């Protein structure tokens, strides 16, 4: 019994270290990806091409890991692929909408809008999973919505295309999270997929899903010939696109793992306060670094709105973990 308890404590400690490390990597790669993607989108306004390149880089990384044996190649059935397809579709749309927003408005504003994720998480979970939120959770959404509205009213770079693209990204990413939760039930006779393989398959599928859309809409523009004809620095654009693609894949992989761990309730090995602070700090770091990096003008009212929204995100993270007391007969 003592040995079992010691093993449990060791596992909990390992999970705790893993979550702390994952959250740190998530923040670093997300900030780098945003910086590089936005720099490219400023001179190369083709978000579908950029998104496809990001999926292409991720697919190459996934295939390389399977071929070299770094990652065990999954045995996947046709029914599993069909089950994963909706995930890949909303994942594709979520990342495309994010890049469309980054190309239209300031990075800091895009991520202020994305602070609305809890609102859509609660809404979609109630509709599709039947998970009704507590009154306290609903009340925590008020400062989030109010803060985003206040920040939007005073945002210098505001335009409706960027605003609605970020909102659409919220809806699609939270749809992905809800679908992931529904698909985590393992069917009899099927080999379960680990988190890395599942995300790798989603990335490859997203690449193939977006490819025909790229050809039929923007066309293939990220080529040396086109970049030269547009008077752009070919090496700089391609290098930043590659870095953005690598950081994009790393960030998305870590973010997906944290989401799965959260649904499996492995976060109970770490203090809820730690997770709440991590969620909030991630958004704060991305917003602050982007403001400093791009020298984005921010008004006091805009800062207040962003602060209120982020405070609401922290409050939501805390209140969501309070389990309602069971009714006694």
């Amino acid at each position: 019994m003592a040995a079992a308890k010691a093993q449990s404590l060791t596992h909990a400690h390992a999970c705790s270290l893993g979550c702390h490390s994952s959250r740190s990597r998530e923040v670093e790669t997300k900030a780098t990806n945003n910086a590089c993607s936005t720099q490219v989108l400023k001179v190369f306004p083709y978000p579908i091409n950029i998104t496809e390149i990001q999926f292409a880089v991720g697919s190459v990384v996934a295939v390389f890991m399977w071929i070299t044996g770094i990652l065990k190649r999954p045995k996947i059935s046709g029914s599993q692929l069909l089950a994963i397809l909706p995930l890949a579709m909303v994942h594709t749309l979520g990342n495309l909408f994010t890049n469309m927003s980054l190309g239209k408005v300031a990075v800091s504003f895009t991520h202020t809008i994305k602070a609305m994720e809890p609102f859509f998480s609660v809404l979609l979970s109630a509709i599709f999973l039947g998970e009704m939120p507590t009154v306290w959770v609903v009340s925590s959404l008020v400062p989030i919505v109010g803060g985003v509205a206040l920040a939007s009213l005073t945002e210098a770079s505001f335009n409706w295309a960027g605003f609605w693209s970020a909102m659409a990204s919220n809806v699609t990413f939270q749809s992905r999270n809800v679908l992931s939760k529904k698909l985590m039930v393992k069917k009899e006779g099927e080999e379960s997929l680990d988190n890395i393989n599942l995300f790798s398959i989603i990335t490859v599928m997203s690449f193939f899903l977006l490819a025909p859309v790229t050809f039929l809409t923007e066309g293939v523009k990220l080529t040396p010939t086109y970049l030269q004809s547009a008077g752009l620095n070919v090496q700089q654009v391609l290098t930043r696109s590659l870095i953005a693609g690598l950081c994009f894949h790393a960030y998305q992989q870590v973010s997906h793992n944290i989401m799965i761990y959260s649904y499996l309730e492995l976060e109970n090995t770490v203090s809820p306060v730690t997770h709440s602070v991590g969620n909030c700090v991630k958004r704060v770091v991305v917003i602050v670094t982007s403001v400093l990096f791009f020298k984005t003008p921010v008004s006091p009212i805009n800062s207040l709105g962003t602060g209120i929204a982020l405070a609401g995100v922290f409050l939501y993270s805390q209140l969501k973990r309070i389990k309602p007391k069971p009714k006694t007969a």
Side-chain angles (χ1 to χ4, degrees):
M1 189 170 183
K5 187 175 181 181
Q7 186 177 5
S8 177
L9 288 171
T10 302
H11 175 69
H13 181 62
C15 285
S16 174
L17 290 175
C19 286
H20 284 299
S21 177
S22 294
R23 185 68 73 186
S24 175
R25 286 196 299 270
E26 183 189 20
V27 173
E28 291 168 3
T29 52
K30 187 180 182 73
T32 307
N33 170 55
N34 284 331
C36 290
S37 294
T38 305
Q39 284 179 317
V40 174
L41 284 164
K42 280 181 181 292
V43 296
F44 183 78
Y46 297 100
I48 302 178
N49 270 257
I50 296 299
T51 309
E52 180 68 350
I53 287 296
Q54 290 173 340
F55 287 139
V57 172
S59 298
V60 169
V61 171
V63 172
F64 173 79
M65 291 176 73
W66 286 330
I67 290 174
T68 57
I70 296 173
L71 184 64
K72 184 182 176 183
R73 193 179 306 176
K75 294 178 182 178
I76 187 165
S77 65
S79 61
Q80 282 178 310
L81 280 175
L82 282 175
I84 295 170
L85 181 59
L87 274 175
M89 291 173 69
V90 292
H91 179 73
T92 305
L93 288 171
N95 286 294
L96 175 58
F97 285 133
T98 298
N99 280 332
M100 288 172 68
S101 181
L102 289 173
K104 295 290 184 181
V105 296
V107 178
S108 55
F109 183 52
T110 294
H111 285 281
T112 298
I113 300 170
K114 285 175 76 65
M116 284 275 288
E117 284 178 353
F119 174 85
F120 292 103
S121 177
V122 169
L123 181 64
L124 294 172
S125 293
I127 294 172
F128 296 107
L129 300 177
E131 296 179 356
M132 302 309 296
T134 64
V135 175
W136 298 111
V137 168
V138 173
S139 66
S140 72
L141 299 177
V142 175
I144 296 175
V145 176
V148 170
L150 186 62
S152 300
L153 288 171
T154 55
E155 172 59 40
S157 69
F158 181 88
N159 66 68
W160 286 110
F163 177 84
W164 287 118
S165 295
M167 279 295 185
S169 172
N170 281 336
V171 174
T172 49
F173 275 134
Q174 293 313 306
S175 299
R176 181 194 67 179
N177 295 352
V178 170
L179 285 170
S180 293
K181 191 170 184 180
K182 291 189 75 171
L183 292 173
M184 276 196 308
V185 180
K186 179 186 170 184
K187 291 183 179 179
E188 223 177 295
E190 288 184 344
E191 183 179 323
S192 60
L193 290 169
D194 61 83
N195 297 334
I196 298 177
N197 269 320
L198 174 58
F199 181 75
S200 297
I201 291 169
I202 289 172
T203 300
V204 174
M205 290 177 76
S206 292
F207 169 74
F208 285 109
L209 285 170
L210 193 60
V213 178
T214 306
F215 282 112
L216 294 172
T217 54
E218 294 177 350
V220 180
K221 294 285 195 297
L222 200 61
T223 61
T225 304
Y226 180 85
L227 293 175
Q228 278 182 341
S229 65
L232 299 174
N233 186 319
V234 177
Q235 185 179 355
Q236 188 179 67
V237 172
L238 292 179
T239 301
R240 286 178 178 172
S241 298
L242 178 61
I243 294 171
L246 289 170
C247 290
F248 166 84
H249 183 71
Y251 153 69
Q252 290 281 340
Q253 176 69 77
V254 173
S255 180
H256 186 264
N257 285 352
I258 291 173
M259 176 194 71
I260 296 296
Y261 291 151
S262 175
Y263 281 144
L264 292 175
E265 297 187 341
L266 290 179
E267 80 277 4
N268 291 332
T269 58
V270 187
S271 164
V273 177
T274 302
H275 273 277
S276 300
V277 172
N279 277 326
C280 199
V281 167
K282 174 187 77 172
R283 195 71 69 189
V284 171
V285 169
V286 171
I287 290 173
V288 171
T289 53
S290 65
V291 167
L292 295 175
F293 185 83
F294 292 106
K295 298 178 180 177
T296 308
V298 181
S299 70
I301 300 296
N302 186 275
S303 300
L304 178 63
T306 301
I308 292 172
L310 293 174
V313 172
F314 175 77
L315 187 62
Y316 166 82
S317 300
Q318 287 289 82
L319 294 174
K320 192 183 176 191
R321 287 176 170 80
I322 299 175
K323 304 293 181 184
K325 292 181 180 178
K327 294 179 182 178
T328 54

